[in-house]
Amino acid sequence: DEVARLRARGRRPEALALLEDATKKNTATPEMRVSHGLLALEVGKLEEARKILRAAEKKEPANWRVLSGLGSVYAAEGKQPEAQKAFAKALRLKPDHPSFLNNLALSYALDGKRDRAEAILRRAAADTTANPQAKQNLALLLGLEGRKTEASKFAEAVLSKPKAYANLGYL
C-alpha cells in the first residue's frame, strides 16, 4: 500500500495527503479513516486529528487505536483529564498495553499527579515487551524527584552508562 511505503520512507506529509484525498472522495474505508487521523497526529495537525478520531470513535467506540490516538491528541493539546479518560478506555480494551500505560503515566505527570504516574510507569517498565521509553520516562520522573540513584538504575537499563549519566546530569 502506497501510504505505508511513504510512511516507511519518512514521507508522512505525502502519505497524509493521499489519505486526505481518499477521505474527500469517500473511497476511504473505516481503517483508512483511523489511519488518516493517526497520521494527522503524527505530523502535528492536532485539530484535524481530533476531528477525524472523534468521528471514528462515534462509529467505533471500542477501537483501541482510536482511543489511544485521541488520548495522544488531548495530551498534546494540554487537556490531561480528557487524555487520561481516553487512555483509560484504551486500556480497558487492551489491558496492560505498555504504550498506553506509558502515555497515561506521562499525562498524569503533566497533570501534577507524580505518584500515580510513577506507579503506572513502574508497571509499564516491568513489562519485558515494553518500549524502552517507559524506563527512560521513569528515570526522568525519579530524577526530577531527586531520587538519582534509583533513576540511574532505570536509565542504565536502556542507555549506555555515559548517556544515562548525561541525561541525569541535565536534571
Side-chain angles (χ1 to χ4, degrees):
D1 142 82
E2 185 62 21
V3 171
R5 281 191 287 281
L6 289 169
R7 286 185 76 207
R9 293 184 187 129
R11 296 167 55 186
R12 287 178 175 82
E14 291 173 56
L16 181 59
L18 278 177
L19 288 171
E20 286 172 346
D21 189 48
T23 302
K24 286 177 187 171
K25 293 178 181 175
N26 285 328
T27 58
T29 63
E31 183 60 33
M32 287 172 70
R33 288 184 193 352
V34 172
S35 294
H36 179 192
L38 295 174
L39 193 52
L41 170 63
E42 282 182 42
V43 299
K45 293 186 172 189
L46 299 179
E47 188 175 332
E48 180 180 345
R50 181 178 12 87
K51 181 180 170 185
I52 295 165
L53 292 171
R54 286 187 70 186
E57 181 189 23
K58 287 178 183 170
K59 292 181 181 179
E60 296 182 76
N63 186 323
W64 58 267
R65 291 180 65 220
V66 170
L67 294 167
S68 176
L70 270 174
S72 295
V73 169
Y74 291 138
E77 293 176 330
K79 299 174 182 174
Q80 300 315 321
E82 290 92 337
Q84 292 157 21
K85 287 177 188 171
F87 290 133
K89 284 181 183 178
L91 278 165
R92 282 195 289 279
L93 297 169
K94 295 279 276 186
D96 293 322
H97 190 287
S99 176
F100 300 169
L101 289 171
N102 183 62
N103 291 340
L104 177 60
L106 290 178
S107 179
Y108 279 130
L110 290 169
D111 206 18
K113 300 172 183 171
R114 288 188 177 171
D115 289 343
R116 202 160 186 190
E118 180 184 336
I120 294 169
L121 280 172
R122 285 184 185 280
R123 276 177 52 202
D127 188 324
T128 57
T129 65
N131 182 318
Q133 194 64 45
K135 287 182 181 172
Q136 291 175 345
N137 290 335
L138 181 55
L140 175 64
L141 184 66
L142 294 169
L144 288 171
E145 293 176 352
R147 296 158 56 189
K148 295 195 192 272
T149 302
E150 191 176 6
S152 66
K153 177 183 113 181
F154 285 100
E156 290 173 16
V158 291
L159 300 170
S160 67
K161 276 193 177 198
K163 181 75 172 167
Y165 287 130
N167 284 359
L168 293 173
Y170 290 121
L171 300 176

